[in-house]
Amino acid sequence: MIYADYNGSAPLCPDVREHVIKRMQDGPFANPNAIHHLGSKVLMAMENSRSVCAKVLGADFKQVIFNSGATEGITQAFFSILHKNTKKKIIISGIEHSAVVNCAKYYMLDHGHEMVVLKTKEDGIIDLDDLKDHLDDDTAMVAVMAANNETGIIQPYKEIAELCNNEDVPFLCDTTQFIGKTLFDFKHSGVDYAVMSGHKIGAMTGTGILLAKDPTTVKELVIGGGQENGKRGGTQNYLGYETLAVALHYFETHLDRLENLNTKRLEFESKIKEKFPEVVIVGENSPRLSSTTYIALPGVHGQAVQIELESKGIYVTTSSACSDNEPVTSKVLKAMNVSDDVGRGVVRISLGLCSDPEFYTEMTTSLISIYEKLSKIKSY
Ligand code: PLP
């Protein structure tokens, strides 16, 4: 079996699995806010995990707010910035995840804000001149992702941060697909708010982090007993947060794997192109995550390729998981002006740090035989 849908959700990283089993067997289990000895032990382990996460992400300890994942972090960042904000303009890009798009739409429809969607160039990178043109005194916030979940294309988030910082406009960077797949240094990024989800990096599902440059600006979304320094009420998922630290530590100590993954991915892409020169690799010449390939053979339907791959035990997806049932060109590809011919044909192959790069060898053989078979009976 080859699991190649890491951008959807990554399997537990081996160290995380070991840690969880040990912790389940040995404990301790207690409320981290309890004053007894067991509570203190749990609290210490959780705060130690916060330090590890802060170190790997280049943040201060207090800038790390544990939560349930990126969607919550994004929602809380929007709420923190826009609560009682008289500035009207929210700037997002046309390739954002629905977690960002729907927050912006909510504030536009329910709170009278204006939503500006930046142009994306054909290489998948947002148009920085368009951003410069739109940034003004009435801009409440900018939200642009660091790496795209479909294409893996990396945005110039540091330049965006600089432009926003110069205009004193808060910048929320959706780093969900970036963190754990390449190095991220929060302090040096210039970003005001960044987010991550544990299940994208091999930690437990239902865990995540909101990073806030100035934590005093974070307004609680869940009001409760003052946990997370008053930023998120409710007893913490301490075991889940420990897994974030274990997965991030694993990432930091296995960085050398990224280069190997990148080399194997490029070899895989060039072998497929050699055999089928008409193949399109979305964002081929743009900076991309080392673990993502978004590939189409025009005329061959992506879902047919996905089903054929699945019959060989290879799990990929045709676009982001949430829009899997729509056989249409995704909005990300539309924003990049990709033709429907390519848009209907794409499959996303996404691996992770824990994947065996040799998987690409099997993927090459399988994809070539599937393209040979399906191109004889073109689907559209
Ligand atoms: N942002 C991006 C870029 C994503 O890919 C995802 C998930 O696919 C999210 C946000 C939302 O993450 P979650 O569903 O873990 O909250």
Side-chain angles (χ1 to χ4, degrees), residues 7 69-71 74 97 99 145 147 149 174 176-177 197 199-200:
N7 289 11
T71 301
I74 288 165
H97 188 271
M145 59 183 17
N149 40 306
D174 179 356
T176 314
Q177 295 291 348
S197 277
H199 71 105
K200 304 285 189 196

Side-chain angles (χ1 to χ4, degrees), residues 154 181 258-259 261-263 265 288-292 360:
I154 296 171
K181 294 187 182 127
L258 283 177
E259 212 169 300
L261 203 59
N262 200 37
T263 310
R265 174 185 58 85
R288 272 186 297 152
L289 294 173
S290 48
S291 50
T292 304
Y360 278 123

Side-chain angles (χ1 to χ4, degrees), residues 223-294:
I223 302 159
Q227 290 90 346
E228 291 300 292
N229 233 349
K231 304 304 175 196
R232 185 181 192 262
T235 301
Q236 288 102 329
N237 175 7
Y238 57 88
L239 180 50
Y241 302 153
E242 287 175 27
T243 69
L244 286 172
V246 175
L248 283 171
H249 177 69
Y250 184 91
F251 163 74
E252 194 185 38
T253 48
H254 292 79
L255 274 174
D256 53 320
R257 284 179 163 226
L258 283 177
E259 212 169 300
N260 194 19
L261 203 59
N262 200 37
T263 310
K264 298 279 180 194
R265 174 185 58 85
L266 291 172
E267 272 171 27
F268 156 72
E269 291 178 358
S270 76
K271 279 185 185 149
I272 302 286
K273 281 204 84 164
E274 214 173 277
K275 189 87 184 148
F276 300 94
E278 67 275 40
V279 148
V280 174
I281 291 159
V282 179
E284 189 174 7
N285 300 314
S286 303
R288 272 186 297 152
L289 294 173
S290 48
S291 50
T292 304
T293 299
Y294 208 27

Side-chain angles (χ1 to χ4, degrees), residues 109-140:
L109 298 173
D110 278 36
H111 295 269
H113 285 275
E114 177 199 350
M115 182 171 94
V116 171
V117 180
L118 297 174
K119 289 183 204 132
T120 306
K121 295 180 292 173
E122 292 195 352
D123 60 4
I125 310 282
I126 69 143
D127 186 338
L128 288 181
D129 289 330
D130 197 28
L131 174 61
K132 283 180 204 155
D133 290 347
H134 280 107
L135 277 172
D136 61 20
D137 289 348
D138 200 32
T139 308

